[in-house]
Amino acid sequence: MDDAKEGDRNAVETAPLPFRAAVDALRAARLRPEIEIDPTRPPQRLAPHAYALEAAVVADDEDLADGRLVLLHDPAGHDAWQGSFRLVTLIRAELEPEMAADPLLPDVCWSWLTGALQARGLSYGEPSGTVTRASSHYFGGLAERPAASQIEIRASWTPREGRGGVPDTAAHLAAWCDLLCQVAGLPPAGPGDGSIVTLPQRRGPQSR
């Protein structure tokens, strides 16, 4: 594992300057104290350069939601991205079964993603993704377990590049963390965010 981390570090250090600057901004970002975040091994074949973070929203030593954010970079540009950078995410959280049955839930969760980006004044393009609900019911030897439901958001978007061809990745990370906290059911972080509606905290969040 140490060798893999060292290889990832070397890959970033030898990457083009815009990618290195974008990664440095991710590493320096200041986030809400409820968010525990760490670098993780990025995918190897989606783009010439990649950097990944994994995060969990933790309250009272319990995981309320978790996710992964990947920064991709192709210096030559990518037709589907309409740019040279792309952000890719996966977010998951447990739900009350009644909430999972709400037919509007997927639309609401997708609007949270676009709303989080817009609330921070971020320019982006080519958004795409899916919102998936899954329910598990237990039988036989597992029949005593209560039914469990989960929401999963998979999405990607192109952050618009600023000076030197570098997008504001720190602000995009902050918006992503806003979404993660919203899905986890946390209250808004500060004044001015009272209009944000979050998922109610679910029964029995996963213990760490």
Side-chain angles (χ1 to χ4, degrees):
M1 181 64 69
D2 290 340
D3 290 343
K5 289 182 178 180
E6 184 65 27
D8 295 339
R9 189 178 302 110
N10 291 337
V12 171
E13 291 175 353
T14 58
L17 180 59
F19 180 71
R20 298 203 311 268
V23 170
D24 287 344
L26 289 175
R27 290 170 171 167
R30 299 180 64 182
L31 307 173
R32 288 182 61 164
E34 298 93 342
I35 295 176
E36 295 185 358
I37 192 164
D38 289 293
T40 187
R41 189 70 185 268
Q44 302 297 306
R45 299 179 182 178
L46 296 181
H49 307 283
Y51 181 78
L53 295 166
E54 57 184 7
V57 179
V58 181
D60 297 326
D61 205 33
E62 295 176 331
D63 284 359
L64 300 177
D66 62 75
R68 191 178 196 219
L69 184 68
V70 181
L71 175 67
L72 304 176
H73 179 53
D74 187 340
H78 197 292
D79 290 340
W81 301 353
Q82 294 295 301
S84 62
F85 284 90
R86 189 75 171 170
L87 285 162
V88 182
T89 185
L90 165 66
I91 288 177
R92 294 171 300 210
E94 298 298 321
L95 294 175
E96 289 284 359
E98 309 81 47
M99 170 109 11
D102 186 341
L104 296 178
L105 182 64
D107 299 272
V108 170
C109 288
W110 183 256
S111 73
W112 287 349
L113 169 62
T114 57
L117 295 169
Q118 292 166 4
R120 292 194 176 262
L122 294 170
S123 179
Y124 67 96
E126 310 305 318
S128 64
T130 62
V131 177
T132 304
R133 293 176 289 191
S135 297
S136 299
H137 299 266
Y138 300 94
F139 302 93
L142 301 177
E144 293 183 359
R145 293 188 182 183
S149 299
Q150 186 181 72
I151 191 75
E152 180 180 276
I153 303 171
R154 292 178 180 267
S156 63
W157 65 95
T158 298
R160 294 306 183 204
E161 298 163 17
R163 294 183 59 184
V166 182
D168 188 352
T169 49
H172 281 271
L173 174 59
W176 179 75
C177 288
D178 291 342
L179 171 64
L180 191 63
C181 290
Q182 205 167 358
V183 172
L186 292 189
D193 295 333
S195 62
I196 295 176
V197 178
T198 61
L199 286 179
Q201 291 191 11
R202 272 74 56 201
R203 177 178 61 243
Q206 182 179 355
S207 297
R208 291 172 63 79

